DNA sequence: TTGTACGCGTTATCAT
DNA sequence: ATGATAACGCGTACAA
């Protein structure tokens, strides 16, 4: 298989490499005829410029990277889609990278920044426990989107963040359950989420109970300690099953993600419990699927589209030096659906 | 921000660039002390080699690309995960790329091949209508995994394929529905799938009906003509709703993907129809979620793990020239769950 | 408008 | 064991 380079094309066309380069990159200083001739040979020979070589030279690579921790979480799929669209509008390329649970996202970010000549990074999900020093080594601006709590000791001037107030919104959800008369409210948290968003949502849960003078029972805090994907339905199913087997008494179950809730829904059903007649069930995130379950899921809906759009715009603005780093918090919306009801 | 290069590191350590290169790449010919010294300065200065430059030189980039068409389809998420794991085992890097519905996967493949120095490609999903000529321009081996029908006129020696026999398995599902006594069986296909897997599954549906002497009613073939993601629950929901509004008579509904089926399930519920008492519902794919719906979904389960593993292994074997191109077909498994029952 | 020559950061080859 | 140097494919001053 012959893989032509820019030199080959130049030789074939009987022109210099720079002329070919000009043709490829839509430079103005070129004779339209020459350009057409070059472009046609390029098509003929199936020439594709080597991006590695390009990036080596270029300074303005019009590309950003999106680093996702936990791609299995359906919540992110939508965000990625919207970010992709926004990038396209701006004619930016988007490098999508999936970070393993045990990988360090900042290390990966550094690698990616070097690899491509990209201009910015979006971190999606994951927990956050990096040193300021390490972060500072990232030479391009970055935005944390729906990432858990970022330590206070890290200067807010070196990064941007986009998220809902997980603790507050979580408390609101539990408030709502309490307003329905529930006092025995179990919560489902994946243990591995402890350091991240899960922790915040758990704290919100505690806040709400405390505010209403309801005792917090350790036994109702169901922290899964398994190898399963933290946001998976399977995890929700198995954990709820265990909770039920332990014989805990509760009239409401709050899962800190919709995926967990969907698994829980089935576990409750299997145990012969009706939702919401016997047990109220609530989720968090507002993924599309929550609307299609039977019963549909009461959840705290994050404005995904808006958040994803703003994430991208913010990053582009920072790249263009139109703005400094920002920290935007969004209001989540309590979506009351069929899975919750007054305490029986 | 100072971004050290290999030269800088060499200068700082008072050694030549080649020595640094040897240290980085675990070459044998290097004094352990020198290596240690170099590695420590590398850590100190946060040096990360520029992959673009590396790829420019390297011939053996130990990397493959996975090009996914329709990343929103939950079915692919698992496949990607498994492929990722297999790559890791082989110490291969994996480049994940999402192809837009309107993008040409082969063009993207060509670009990616040039960009990285990768050794192979996995195509996941999508339809297939490329010319042999264009395919031949891909200089690395590729495997089509769960891609729709590949035209007969393309030589089977230039590519590998991994999939179930969509037509046959689809027919099996419809056979099963017929065996339950159903004769008025509606089918849900996304129109955009027409040229790909959806077409095959539709043909299987027709095959089965014909084999049993059941007339095929155009009105029961629900081909959605919307902009929605072909495999989305929303699509399934809206299409089923329309089907019901048209007042079509049927006792079973077969959705050609589980995601569609889940949307359909809700639409049936909203119409006051009980599944499976009033209507039997069946899906295809066997995604995890199908187990957590109420009722759980009867579906044709594809051996995802096995297929993903074999896809990766096959590609690696071809790269290593251990084997020629192969075309493997898997048996799908009919998973009879709660959503189907005898005709009322 | 076009061509020549240099350098981007790295690895591989060849000396030493 | 180590260092100098030539590629890799491309973009871009600069010269023509």
């Amino acid at each position: 298989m012959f893989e032509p380079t820019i030199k080959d094309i130049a030789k074939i066309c009987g022109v210099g490499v720079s002329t070919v380069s000009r043709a490829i990159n839509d430079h103005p200083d070129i004779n339209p005829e020459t350009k057409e001739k070059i472009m046609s040979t390029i098509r003929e020979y199936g020439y594709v410029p080597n991006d590695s070589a390009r990036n080596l030279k270029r300074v303005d690579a019009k590309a950003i990277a999106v680093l996702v921790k936990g791609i299995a979480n359906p919540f992110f799929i939508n965000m990625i889609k919207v970010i992709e669209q926004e990038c396209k509008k701006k004619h930016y390329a988007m490098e999508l990278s999936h970070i393993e649970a045990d990988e360090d996202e900042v290390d990966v970010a550094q690698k990616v920044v070097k690899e491509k000549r990209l201009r910015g990074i979006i971190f999606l999900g994951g927990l956050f426990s990096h040193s300021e020093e390490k972060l500072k080594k990232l030479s391009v601006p970055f935005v944390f989107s729906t990432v858990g709590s970022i330590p206070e000791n890290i200067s807010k001037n070196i990064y941007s963040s986009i998220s809902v107030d997980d603790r507050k919104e979580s408390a609101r959800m539990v408030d709502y359950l309490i307003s329905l008369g529930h006092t025995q409210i179990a919560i489902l948290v994946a243990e591995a989420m402890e350091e991240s968003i899960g922790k915040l949502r758990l704290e919100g849960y505690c806040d709400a109970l405390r505010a209403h003078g309801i005792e917090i029972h350790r036994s109702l805090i169901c922290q899964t300690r398994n190898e399963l994907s933290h946001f998976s339905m399977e995890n929700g199913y198995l954990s709820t099953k265990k909770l039920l087997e332990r014989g805990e008494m509760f009239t409401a179950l709050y899962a800190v993600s919709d995926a967990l809730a969907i698994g829980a829904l089935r576990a409750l059903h299997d145990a012969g419990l009706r939702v919401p007649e016997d047990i109220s069930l609530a989720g968090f995130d507002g993924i599309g699927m929550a609307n299609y379950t039977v019963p549909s899921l009461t959840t705290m809906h994050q404005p995904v589209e808006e958040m994803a759009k703003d994430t991208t715009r913010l990053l582009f603005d920072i790249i263009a030096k139109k703005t400094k780093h920002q920290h935007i918090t969004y209001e989540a919306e309590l979506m009351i659906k069929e899975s919750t009801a007054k305490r029986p």
Side-chain angles (χ1 to χ4, degrees), chain A:
Chain A
M1 203 64 232
F2 171 54
E3 291 285 357
T5 72
I6 196 172
K7 279 184 192 167
D8 299 317
I9 301 295
K11 209 164 287 174
I12 293 163
C13 295
V15 299
V17 284
S18 36
T19 309
V20 178
S21 177
R22 278 188 273 264
I24 297 169
N25 300 293
D26 285 324
H27 277 257
D29 304 354
I30 187 171
N31 186 321
E33 288 176 33
T34 328
K35 182 169 177 178
E36 191 37 58
K37 197 179 80 188
I38 292 172
M39 292 315 277
S40 85
T41 30
I42 282 179
R43 275 190 295 273
E44 183 186 345
Y45 286 82
Y47 164 70
V48 180
N50 180 322
D51 253 17
S52 291
R54 280 184 144 173
N55 287 330
L56 207 50
K57 286 298 297 181
R58 278 218 194 112
V59 191
D60 61 329
K62 293 203 86 166
I64 64 165
V66 178
L67 305 189
V68 192
K69 202 141 188 177
I71 202 169
N73 187 347
F75 177 71
F76 291 137
I77 305 270
N78 259 320
M79 291 209 73
I80 294 170
K81 271 191 169 175
V82 176
I83 293 173
E84 250 178 352
Q85 285 166 7
E86 291 298 305
C87 285
K88 230 168 214 174
K89 277 187 203 162
K90 296 265 183 182
H91 299 286
Y92 262 66
M94 188 194 107
E95 164 88 6
L96 176 61
S97 217
H98 175 196
I99 314 284
E100 292 289 325
D102 57 354
E103 274 180 314
D104 183 312
E105 42 259 75
V106 177
D107 286 348
V108 177
Q110 272 190 349
K111 264 195 74 170
V112 179
V113 167
K114 286 279 187 166
E115 185 180 328
K116 310 265 182 176
R117 277 272 196 259
L118 45 84
R119 300 259 271 271
I121 302 176
I122 293 173
F123 290 96
L124 232 48
L127 72 129
F128 197 72
S129 54
H130 304 285
S131 69
E132 180 160 347
E133 195 188 340
K134 204 168 179 183
L135 281 177
K136 277 187 174 166
K137 281 193 181 143
L138 285 177
S139 53
V140 299
F142 44 96
V143 179
F144 290 108
S145 194
T146 65
V147 170
S149 56
I150 295 165
E152 289 297 330
N153 61 343
I154 292 183
S155 164
K156 292 214 182 297
N157 299 321
I158 66 168
Y159 71 96
S160 285
S161 67
I162 297 267
S163 68
V164 299
D165 184 335
D166 285 279
R167 183 166 179 167
K168 188 188 89 183
E169 306 295 5
S170 184
R172 268 181 65 206
M173 175 57 89
V174 178
D175 270 344
Y176 167 68
L177 292 174
I178 293 172
S179 79
L180 291 175
H182 297 281
T183 53
Q184 295 162 298
I185 303 172
I187 182 171
L188 213 60
V189 202
E191 197 201 35
M193 293 161 68
E194 207 173 81
E195 294 296 319
S196 64
I197 281 180
K199 189 184 173 191
L200 296 173
R201 295 186 187 166
L202 177 56
E203 283 169 353
Y205 163 84
C206 295
D207 290 347
L209 292 184
R210 249 186 251 109
H212 289 271
I214 300 172
E215 201 184 335
I216 298 167
H217 293 282
R218 264 239 149 278
S219 60
L220 288 183
I221 299 176
C222 180
Q223 256 169 317
T224 66
R225 178 194 280 279
N226 53 35
E227 301 300 313
L228 301 169
S229 177
H230 320 324
F231 290 93
S232 72
M233 291 170 238
E234 191 182 1
N235 204 342
Y237 178 76
L238 295 175
S239 303
T240 305
K241 213 166 174 180
K242 255 186 233 160
L243 186 69
L244 291 169
E245 280 166 5
R246 285 213 313 261
E248 300 296 341
M249 292 296 297
F250 55 93
T251 60
L253 176 58
Y254 166 41
V256 302
S257 89
D258 286 345
L260 289 174
I262 289 168
L265 185 58
R266 180 71 210 194
L268 292 170
H269 177 267
D270 284 357
L273 294 164
R274 291 167 305 162
V275 176
E277 292 83 354
D278 301 322
I279 301 254
S280 282
L281 177 66
F284 199 112
D285 278 348
I287 60 176
M289 226 171 71
N291 296 317
Y292 299 109
T293 56
V294 180
S296 56
L297 198 60
T298 292
T299 187
M300 194 55 85
H301 179 263
Q302 300 192 54
V304 204
E305 297 244 340
E306 200 188 338
M307 289 169 74
K309 271 188 187 164
D310 288 355
T311 297
T312 327
R313 283 185 200 149
L314 179 55
L315 182 60
F316 285 140
D317 283 350
I318 296 169
I319 290 171
K321 298 201 190 297
K322 279 192 206 161
T323 174
K324 296 245 169 199
H325 276 294
Q326 295 180 24
H327 301 272
I328 312 179
T329 305
Y330 294 77
E331 293 286 320
E333 189 186 352
L334 176 59
M335 309 287 281
I336 299 175
K337 295 294 181 63
E338 303 162 351
S339 69
T340 45
K342 290 221 164 155
R343 181 186 179 177

